[in-house]
Amino acid sequence: MVAVAIGMALVFAFGVLLGFLVTISIASKREDRLGTLTRQPPNAVARGARRLHGLGLRDITPRDTGDVRR
């Protein structure tokens, strides 16, 4: 019985960790595609991903948006 409870807790913890990683990955990919890493985050997910990654706006210069392919 204890082994089942431990197994369930591990599966739950793995699911939470996987959810965090997927959310961070999606937000990071979206910001890279939009080129918003040199500005304020566009939404709460991006803001949270930046906080978890430890990324800020320190010493970052905006890139030239004239040559960005969309």
Side-chain angles (χ1 to χ4, degrees):
M1 191 70 169
V2 174
V4 172
I6 291 173
M8 290 173 56
L10 287 173
V11 168
F12 179 76
F14 180 73
V16 169
L17 181 64
L18 185 65
F20 278 129
L21 291 175
V22 167
T23 303
I24 291 170
S25 175
I26 290 171
S28 178
K29 183 177 179 181
R30 181 181 299 152
E31 281 208 73
D32 190 38
R33 183 174 32 98
L34 296 175
T36 59
L37 285 174
T38 57
R39 296 185 295 239
Q40 294 297 322
N43 55 28
V45 174
R47 190 170 38 254
R50 283 186 185 187
R51 183 167 292 172
L52 288 173
H53 278 293
L55 180 68
L57 293 177
R58 300 181 305 257
D59 302 326
I60 299 176
T61 57
R63 66 180 182 182
D64 184 19
T65 58
D67 59 351
V68 175
R69 293 179 55 192
R70 295 204 185 242

